[in-house]
Amino acid sequence: MVKADNDKLAHHFFSCAHMLFAHVAVAVPLRRLFDYKIPEALESSLSIGSRVEVPWGRQKQIAVVVNISDKTEFSADKIKPLSRIIDHIPLLDPAMVALKNWVAQYYVCPPGEVFINLLPKKLKTGEIAKPEMETYWQLGDESAFSQISKRAKKQLSLIEELKQTAEIADSRLKQQGYAQALIKKLSELGAITATEKIPLEHDVKAPVSLAETPLTLNDEQVIALEQINQHLSTFKPILLEGVTGSGKTEVYLQAIEQVLKQGKQVLVLVPEIGLTPQTLGRFRNRFNTEILTLHSELNDTERHNAWLKAKLGLAQIIIGTRSSVLVPMPSLGMIILDEEHDISYKQQDGLRYNARDIAVKRAHLQSIPVILGSATPSLETVNNANQNRYLKLKLTKRAQKTAPPVPELLDIKHQPMQAGLAYGVLQCIEQHLNAGNQVLIFLNRRGFSPALICHECGWVSECQRCDNHYTYHKSINQLQCHHCGDIQAVPMQCHDCGSTQIVDWGVGTEQLESFLSERFPEANTLRIDRDSTRRKGELERKLEAINKGEHQLLIGTQMLAKGHHFPNLTLTVVMNLDHALYSADFRALERMMQLLVQVSGRAGRGEKKGQVLLQTHNPEHELLQTIIKKGYADVQNYLLDERNAMKLPPFQSWALLRVEALQLETVLAFCQQTSNTFNPYLQSHYQKVVAIPAMPAPQEKRAGRYRYLMVFESNHRGHLNAAMQHLTQLLEAQKGYSTVRWTLDIDPQELN
Ligand code: ADP
Ligand code: ZN
Ligand code: ZN
């Protein structure tokens, strides 16, 4: 971005013979770089990618040098010199600077958010870029051994241990019960000596060795691995589409082995570390090599150390959650992104990036393969594979024999309901509990705004203009079409059968929990969702309690569908399937289908046979029939056709502007003014970009603030990006709206 701008504006720039300028990113919410003079004495020691300290008003700021040139847009005598260089060896290598530049450009965000805010905290505050050292003890002078008293058993045993292992970390010795005083004594005698080192479990320079024999691959796995191995030194995005339990992880492991043998590093991205302890274990069991994990549960020091070890090439495998995609690794040879469809790869606040898309870009910039694995790949990725932009590899068979259960549709029209559960379902739950098994009630809440459904016949009110169902907005008690904005009163009666039982089934987890505890007092009920697992380690504790059989009835959201496997769980009930069928968010259906495949995949893994029940008013719905009778591949085609027909992503690019304020009038006025100034601009400059009229968010009021959405869509990504660059400039300058908060979301994943 910066470079292009510089070229374009070159004739405006002041060029000075012997003066160099640093163009730096500073942690401020402005979409631009800032220029500083490089004092002559520092010229030779400053590189792109280094942190510097710069004067900022009367204070100082930490900045990252994004570019160095002899030009500046400003008059050279107005530009201040930078204060000092923090990194004499650049913190970010050129590949990472290029990637971060791309991120700032693509997501139309302030460079400081990418270059500064994503750094570990201690690096943000200017601390030196060195991982913590640890003291290691080795044997000292042999002549000193004789000075140790024969009765000093403990001292002698330490000497013996060091004879065996060459060196032991100080912290390890303390764990083993060697007192500080004892260590000091031996050190004073010269019997042991200390060195300071970065703590590592393995020698990173040693060639890779396996800690266990790899499994013998089945035919499909062999083909997949061969294909991957053919693309080891080129850019190649590979979709590994394999049903749950088909052995994707084994393919990753054997592909990684090849990369490690080339002396390169591998980055493995996973949705949530807490949910996949088994996966971590499998990596550690396979390789005698330094493996680092990077995730949000690390404290500042742990994060600092892990980040720097990755940057220094002191770990061969890095397993991390989404933000790890922007951790520098000097000899990266492959990126693997497991469960590529998972929404956790999308950061939903601050810098709203998608780690999957950045991973593909990173692989492109570094000419390496990137493997996207999933049983239920996102439509974006499937579309890329269909267009031959990605190589598609399939694993269709489970590595082990058990087949997943086929979900059963349960028609709940007319059924007596309690807390959103049909009578038949309650009976079924009872049977499974009586047999001593566990039951999971699955409640899908995320991003789903309700539609009103006739409980007698399944009728849903639809917009005449768009063939789109209306969304029910509780706060205004009205229906609204999210395509065209049309508003309708809530119907008193069903238009088809005349019933007055029009319902939205908006049951909350707490309400369900209290009903179930009363209805099944013998069963121990446990609720697992974001709110109940916020504290560190809470989720792991709960999962363990479930596996120990401490709970029989589980109430869960999306979180429980992933990666987890409970051998005693035999019944899964999906309560509000219809919310996805009639959601205001066009992705809701895709998500629901992925989830059905995932929950079914979980259910059939243990010894016991599993059952999956889906409550719906629409058992005849074509998509439900497709998923049950044909499977996810047909669902993909169905949904892709629909998206194509309706001109929705991935066939169009979207940008979403979220606007919120305490007063509804303020929000409306802001949206109106934005449209008034921006839409004519689109007309004259970017006709391929279409602005959809502002709509209330499905959750119109959150934390006391009114929320509106403005969508911009285009079949030309470049034009959309350029238009959004202009929009943000316009909004940054828009006066009189200091109480409005706005955020721009490129490729939004949730319309909320
Ligand atoms: P996925 O990652 O696709 O869900 P996994 O790699 O976890 O699948 O494999 C599922 C199970 O099958 C694991 O227990 C794994 O050890 C086993 N498995 C995978 N590949 C093979 C193979 N080639 N031979 C025998 N067992 C295998
Ligand atoms: Zn009806
Ligand atoms: Zn409409």
Side-chain angles (χ1 to χ4, degrees):
M1 146 181 87
V2 179
K3 200 169 170 318
D5 282 352
N6 283 355
D7 291 346
K8 203 165 39 189
L9 299 169
H11 58 282
H12 290 309
F13 281 62
F14 295 84
S15 183
C16 304
H18 293 296
M19 204 176 286
L20 282 183
F21 302 96
H23 310 284
V24 306
V26 181
V28 294
L30 293 172
R31 286 163 175 78
R32 51 166 295 203
L33 296 173
F34 297 87
D35 295 0
Y36 288 89
K37 254 181 248 175
I38 305 175
E40 232 177 87
L42 299 182
E43 264 179 27
S44 58
S45 38
L46 184 65
S47 317
I48 289 174
S50 290
R51 287 173 303 159
V52 292
E53 197 175 68
V54 297
W56 190 265
R58 260 176 264 146
Q59 287 161 337
K60 294 267 159 68
Q61 284 263 15
I62 303 297
V64 170
V65 179
V66 176
N67 206 352
I68 295 177
S69 75
D70 58 0
K71 297 190 179 70
T72 174
E73 188 178 346
F74 307 96
S75 141
D77 49 286
K78 290 224 177 80
I79 296 186
K80 293 182 188 161
L82 57 84
S83 315
R84 69 182 177 104
I85 299 177
I86 299 172
D87 303 307
H88 289 275
I89 299 167
L91 189 67
L92 307 174
D93 53 54
M96 188 46 69
V97 172
L99 183 66
K100 290 199 175 206
N101 257 330
W102 177 83
V103 171
Q105 168 79 15
Y106 185 89
Y107 290 105
V108 198
C109 69
E113 289 213 27
V114 197
F115 281 94
I116 309 272
N117 292 351
L118 288 178
L119 295 175
K121 195 164 170 199
K122 292 184 177 185
L123 295 176
K124 268 190 275 198
T125 54
E127 208 161 294
I128 55 162
K130 209 160 141 203
E132 252 174 46
M133 303 289 227
E134 155 122 61
T135 306
Y136 282 75
W137 294 100
Q138 295 102 1
L139 284 184
D141 193 353
E142 258 183 63
S143 63
F145 298 169
S146 58
Q147 296 174 44
I148 304 170
S149 157
K150 292 276 170 303
R151 280 176 304 164
K153 291 263 160 53
K154 202 82 195 178
Q155 295 183 26
L156 290 169
S157 100
L158 200 164
I159 297 294
E160 275 316 304
E161 266 197 66
L162 282 175
K163 281 183 181 163
Q164 306 291 324
T165 47
E167 60 171 26
I168 304 179
D170 190 63
S171 58
R172 182 75 149 277
L173 285 184
K174 305 241 162 81
Q175 274 167 18
Q176 292 176 4
Y178 293 104
Q180 178 70 40
L182 179 149
I183 296 172
K184 187 159 173 246
K185 179 104 191 283
L186 286 175
S187 152
E188 279 166 1
L189 280 179
I192 59 174
T193 57
T195 36
E196 297 286 305
K197 286 203 325 185
I198 298 167
L200 295 174
E201 280 167 29
H202 295 273
D203 178 3
V204 286
K205 295 209 183 69
V208 271
S209 72
L210 298 185
E212 62 174 14
T213 322
L215 297 174
T216 308
L217 299 181
N218 65 33
D219 294 353
E220 287 184 328
Q221 286 173 315
V222 167
I223 294 171
L225 185 64
E226 274 173 0
Q227 288 285 323
I228 294 169
N229 284 345
Q230 276 179 23
H231 297 96
L232 282 191
S233 1
T234 48
F235 168 59
K236 192 77 206 172
I238 299 169
L239 165 60
L240 181 62
E241 181 171 7
V243 299
T244 14
S246 60
K248 291 185 291 297
T249 311
E250 186 59 35
V251 173
Y252 302 153
L253 288 168
Q254 300 199 21
I256 290 172
E257 190 185 327
Q258 300 307 316
V259 180
L260 296 182
K261 278 187 183 149
Q262 300 181 333
K264 293 185 183 158
Q265 297 171 291
V266 178
L267 173 62
V268 181
L269 295 166
V270 294
E272 260 160 296
I273 292 267
L275 287 170
T276 47
Q278 308 101 319
T279 311
L280 286 187
R282 284 171 71 183
F283 282 79
R284 293 200 191 280
N285 291 341
R286 178 64 53 93
F287 301 107
N288 287 318
T289 186
E290 198 70 14
I291 301 181
L292 277 179
T293 54
L294 268 166
H295 51 89
S296 59
E297 302 230 318
L298 298 183
N299 66 32
D300 289 341
T301 305
E302 290 166 335
R303 194 168 169 72
H304 180 80
N305 289 336
W307 196 97
L308 286 168
K309 278 191 198 174
K311 170 205 149 49
L312 294 171
L314 297 177
Q316 281 96 347
I317 302 178
I318 282 120
I319 305 181
T321 43
R322 61 175 177 251
S323 65
S324 318
V325 75
L326 287 167
V327 171
M329 293 168 73
S331 55
L332 186 60
M334 175 182 277
I335 305 176
I336 293 171
L337 197 125
D338 194 26
E339 307 289 358
E340 74 85 33
H341 65 279
D342 199 294
I343 193 174
S344 330
Y345 286 119
K346 178 77 200 266
Q347 166 95 16
Q348 302 283 16
D349 49 35
L351 168 54
R352 291 157 196 268
Y353 64 93
N354 191 328
R356 178 194 59 212
D357 300 339
I358 297 180
V360 173
K361 186 64 193 181
R362 185 170 184 178
H364 178 76
L365 288 173
Q366 300 194 231
S367 299
I368 57 171
V370 51
I371 304 179
L372 309 178
S374 175
T376 52
S378 63
L379 294 183
E380 276 77 6
T381 298
V382 171
N383 186 46
N384 278 323
N386 289 350
Q387 311 281 326
N388 287 326
R389 284 192 285 267
Y390 295 3
L391 174 69
K392 177 144 95 178
L393 303 173
K394 280 197 135 190
L395 303 179
T396 58
K397 296 191 265 305
R398 282 199 171 195
Q400 289 157 344
K401 298 260 147 22
T402 48
V406 176
E408 299 163 46
L409 292 172
L410 200 108
D411 189 350
I412 55 172
K413 286 197 294 283
H414 306 294
Q415 295 282 318
M417 307 287 286
Q418 281 182 292
L421 288 165
Y423 180 67
V425 172
L426 289 171
Q427 277 184 315
C428 196
I429 293 173
E430 190 151 27
Q431 284 163 13
H432 282 260
L433 290 178
N434 287 344
N437 294 326
Q438 288 168 321
V439 173
L440 166 64
I441 317 279
F442 191 81
L443 192 75
N444 209 355
R445 279 192 313 185
R446 205 162 170 172
F448 293 153
S449 52
L452 292 184
I453 300 176
C454 170
H455 187 46
E456 299 285 318
C457 75
W459 170 84
V460 176
S461 173
E462 275 189 357
C463 172
Q464 303 287 317
R465 266 185 279 183
C466 313
D467 267 349
N468 183 43
H469 42 78
Y470 286 102
T471 297
Y472 175 50
H473 289 272
K474 218 171 208 146
S475 56
I476 46 172
N477 196 32
Q478 274 174 334
L479 300 178
Q480 184 159 23
C481 169
H482 274 239
H483 269 199
C484 67
D486 185 45
I487 290 184
Q488 291 280 316
V490 171
M492 304 301 286
Q493 278 191 307
C494 170
H495 289 198
D496 273 7
C497 75
S499 160
T500 52
Q501 278 206 61
I502 312 272
V503 290
D504 76 339
W505 299 129
V507 182
T509 25
E510 294 86 358
Q511 195 189 340
L512 182 65
E513 186 179 15
S514 65
F515 166 76
L516 288 171
S517 317
E518 256 174 57
R519 176 71 172 70
F520 302 106
E522 310 283 288
N524 209 345
T525 305
L526 179 71
R527 175 164 66 94
I528 296 201
D529 53 22
R530 293 269 162 223
D531 297 336
S532 69
T533 54
R534 242 175 245 295
R535 260 179 303 147
K536 185 169 169 164
E538 188 76 19
L539 178 63
E540 286 78 1
R541 269 196 295 285
K542 290 194 165 177
L543 294 175
E544 208 182 304
I546 298 174
N547 270 323
K548 281 197 197 135
E550 286 170 23
H551 304 276
Q552 290 74 45
L553 247 176
L554 320 173
I555 302 170
T557 53
Q558 270 86 336
M559 291 179 79
L560 266 192
K562 332 177 171 165
H564 249 275
H565 162 51
F566 309 115
N568 272 321
L569 180 78
T570 54
L571 173 65
T572 301
V573 178
V574 177
M575 283 185 71
N576 41 5
L577 190 63
D578 292 347
H579 280 193
L581 293 180
Y582 303 116
S583 171
D585 186 339
F586 67 86
R587 278 184 226 271
L589 265 180
E590 175 188 1
R591 298 256 151 74
M592 180 53 96
M593 293 299 126
Q594 288 166 338
L595 199 119
L596 290 182
V597 176
Q598 305 277 348
V599 291
S600 310
R602 300 288 144 237
R605 281 194 169 185
E607 304 275 289
K608 300 176 178 173
K609 201 168 160 7
Q611 186 179 10
V612 178
L613 278 185
L614 314 177
Q615 291 198 139
T616 177
H617 284 94
N618 281 277
E620 319 76 27
H621 194 286
E622 196 181 339
L623 197 59
L624 294 181
Q625 292 296 328
T626 307
I627 187 84
I628 283 171
K629 296 201 177 123
K630 297 190 176 142
Y632 190 70
D634 286 75
V635 166
Q636 285 171 0
N637 293 335
Y638 177 102
L639 291 175
L640 276 175
D641 286 348
E642 195 176 79
R643 297 267 185 97
N644 201 358
M646 294 178 79
K647 294 204 169 60
L648 290 169
F651 301 97
Q652 296 270 314
S653 300
W654 274 29
L656 171 64
L657 182 71
R658 292 187 178 84
V659 180
E660 55 175 71
L662 286 170
Q663 309 293 330
L664 181 60
E665 303 79 64
T666 317
V667 176
L668 293 174
F670 182 91
C671 293
Q672 191 61 54
Q673 180 166 339
T674 304
S675 303
N676 289 350
T677 41
F678 189 56
N679 292 3
Y681 172 82
L682 287 182
Q683 271 300 315
S684 58
H685 288 75
Y686 297 107
Q687 286 171 8
K688 286 186 179 145
V689 179
V690 177
I692 299 176
M695 303 272 173
Q699 196 185 345
E700 295 142 315
K701 207 173 169 190
R702 191 191 283 166
R705 304 177 76 87
Y706 289 90
R707 310 169 60 244
Y708 263 66
L709 309 179
M710 294 175 84
V711 172
F712 303 92
E713 57 171 35
S714 180
N715 55 11
H716 194 297
R717 181 163 278 293
H719 285 190
L720 182 65
N721 182 270
M724 290 304 109
Q725 303 283 1
H726 183 83
L727 176 66
T728 53
Q729 282 169 19
L730 199 133
L731 295 181
E732 277 174 10
Q734 195 150 285
K735 296 263 179 311
Y737 291 100
S738 57
T739 59
V740 169
R741 279 193 220 147
W742 58 267
T743 53
L744 185 64
D745 191 350
I746 306 295
D747 306 329
Q749 287 292 308
E750 286 185 309
L751 290 185
N752 207 338

